[in-house]
Amino acid sequence: MDRHTKAAILCAGIAAPSADNSQPWRFAWSGDDLDLRIDADRSGRVSDTRYVLSDLAAGACLENMIIHARSLGYAADVQTFPRPDDELWAARIRWRLDTESDQSEPLAGAIEQRHTDRRFPWGGSITTDTQARLNAQARLIPGQRLYWPQTPRERKAALSVIRQAETMRFRSPTLHAELFSSIRFAAGWHTACEEGLAPATLAVEPPLRPVFQALRRPAVMAMLNRLGAASMLGWRSAWLPIRLSPGLCLLVIPSTARSDVLAGGRALQRVWLQATLDGLSVQPYAAAGVLSLGFVAVEPAFQQPLSRLGSALHDVCAPGHGLVFLRLGYARSAPRDRSGRRALASFGALQ
Ligand SMILES: Cc1cc2nc3c(=O)[nH]c(=O)nc-3n(C[C@H](O)[C@H](O)[C@H](O)COP(=O)(O)O)c2cc1C
């Protein structure tokens, strides 16, 4: 494999999504074998103890690399978590030229186009054909599936779980600190940034921006929470956009074993790329699934609500663990601002 091909594969990898745009990936080549590792400096935060979010991002990155390499005529032999005593080593990938392959990999064309869109409202309707295409992509990764709340009752139950989780992110001081620490207010409201969340990508309405910015201070958040601010924010960030979008589905993984979470990231990416090819806008909501796994250390006052959230989510999508909701719909235009990426060299050895 030449240097150029290796760099192209890594570029596809880092175009993958990651929670809070943390990009928690490290790469190392040995010959034509590639090690994908979780970056110790960009993982393991409060919501990422047990690396659930990082493993999802690693899975998405891995899938992008496999898809792009396939379009270049390479097949991948993947070993996930090769050494149990090395918890940051997510995968070893052995690339080999695949002369049998016809190199047709339609999803490859969507890798650079895929992005998160937090705007609303979105129109259209998600046809059963579209749902079937997205389902098929999830199922290509063994054990993974999408759940679609169909009836008003199912949609209401899903919405309630998402809203409660998003509300908790503003109510719990620990989750609030984590959320706001990833927003790069220094970038201003009009520019992208290469790591973390640029305010410009958050779709906050101009009149609300000063208030939102003030909320990063724990004392302001605590004071406004006495007036119900967290509930309002849960409503505005989740309930309203989802109500005003035609589609909602949930990625369900078979178990919380790390290899299944990583496989969930691969499925998430395939679904998102297919949605991109279909012209759909996508916003993930991960708080409900991740918080209800019970791994996140929040204040004691939130532990009971969290376990209720876990049961409610289980009722929504059992069997399995619902991990990431996806809001879907057709936007009239592409968002002006998109999250950037760090320079490739900062992810480790290029050769
Ligand atoms: C595991 C995971 C969880 C995410 N959770 C959320 C979320 O709860 N809310 C949200 O708006 N975006 C969420 N995102 C989207 C990321 O913030 C986004 O991928 C990142 O900022 C990079 O932007 P891009 O997708 O436009 O490339 C999540 C992404 C991943 C991979």
Side-chain angles (χ1 to χ4, degrees):
M1 215 181 229
D2 61 32
R3 220 184 144 78
H4 177 75
T5 306
K6 288 180 174 178
I9 288 176
L10 299 188
C11 277
I14 68 167
S18 57
D20 297 334
N21 198 22
S22 55
Q23 303 164 42
W25 310 296
R26 298 286 299 170
F27 303 112
W29 289 98
S30 63
D32 283 356
D33 290 356
L34 174 65
D35 288 339
L36 167 60
R37 300 182 59 87
I38 307 280
D39 186 338
D41 295 334
R42 296 181 169 86
S43 61
R45 298 199 313 155
V46 185
S47 296
D48 195 36
T49 37
R50 307 253 198 133
Y51 302 113
V52 171
L53 290 167
S54 292
D55 288 346
L56 283 167
C61 171
L62 173 62
E63 197 58 22
N64 263 8
M65 293 194 290
I66 292 174
I67 290 170
H68 187 67
R70 198 173 295 145
S71 75
L72 301 176
Y74 286 90
D77 296 322
V78 180
Q79 194 188 357
T80 57
F81 301 105
R83 277 201 18 206
D85 61 335
D86 185 348
E87 59 181 10
L88 298 176
W89 191 1
R92 165 156 285 196
I93 308 133
R94 178 154 291 170
W95 306 103
R96 55 182 166 76
L97 261 178
D98 184 4
T99 43
E100 314 271 278
S101 138
D102 64 358
Q103 299 186 16
S104 73
E105 186 41 278
L107 295 188
I111 288 176
E112 293 298 328
Q113 271 75 52
R114 184 217 57 82
H115 57 271
T116 300
D117 191 348
R118 299 186 179 86
R119 300 168 308 160
F120 64 97
W122 292 338
S125 72
I126 313 295
T127 62
T128 47
D129 275 0
T130 305
Q131 279 190 24
R133 270 196 298 279
L134 301 181
N135 287 338
Q137 291 298 346
R139 286 201 181 276
L140 275 176
I141 308 295
Q144 310 293 317
R145 70 179 172 95
L146 293 179
Y147 161 77
W148 298 81
Q150 301 282 8
T151 63
R153 192 190 154 101
E154 288 169 351
R155 246 180 110 89
K156 192 173 166 196
L159 252 178
S160 154
V161 168
I162 302 170
R163 183 180 175 178
Q164 285 175 55
E166 296 298 324
T167 301
M168 210 178 288
R169 296 178 85 188
F170 295 98
R171 200 169 272 154
S172 149
T174 305
L175 298 179
H176 164 269
E178 184 184 41
L179 172 65
F180 277 85
S181 67
S182 61
I183 304 176
R184 304 294 152 100
F185 286 107
W189 289 92
H190 302 289
T191 46
C193 51
E194 62 168 30
E195 191 174 11
L197 295 172
T201 65
L202 299 180
V204 178
E205 294 81 357
L208 297 178
R209 289 174 184 173
V211 182
F212 184 75
Q213 195 157 343
L215 291 180
R216 75 183 143 161
R217 298 226 192 106
V220 175
M221 190 77 245
M223 187 184 72
L224 291 178
N225 271 347
R226 282 189 222 117
L227 305 171
S231 291
M232 274 303 293
L233 287 161
W235 177 83
R236 161 61 187 81
S237 64
W239 192 90
L240 186 65
I242 294 171
R243 277 307 296 262
L244 297 178
S245 301
L248 179 69
C249 64
L250 171 63
L251 173 75
V252 185
I253 63 170
S255 87
T256 57
R258 288 191 65 189
S259 52
D260 278 335
V261 178
L262 187 121
R266 295 184 61 181
L268 173 74
Q269 186 63 5
R270 295 195 72 86
V271 168
W272 202 335
L273 292 174
Q274 181 65 54
T276 304
L277 282 184
D278 281 13
L280 283 162
S281 284
V282 177
Q283 179 180 11
Y285 288 89
V290 172
L291 291 177
S292 52
L293 293 178
F295 301 156
V296 180
V298 284
E299 294 79 4
F302 296 98
Q303 273 155 15
Q304 217 180 4
L306 261 195
S307 89
R308 280 200 300 269
L309 190 73
S311 322
L313 184 61
H314 183 261
D315 291 346
V316 161
C317 68
H321 298 261
L323 205 47
V324 185
F325 282 96
L326 295 177
R327 174 171 76 91
L328 303 161
Y330 296 91
R332 273 197 222 107
S333 59
R336 219 194 48 192
D337 298 294
R338 284 175 53 173
S339 291
R341 295 294 184 273
R342 295 176 357 245
L344 192 52
S346 70
F347 290 87
L350 288 183
Q351 185 59 52

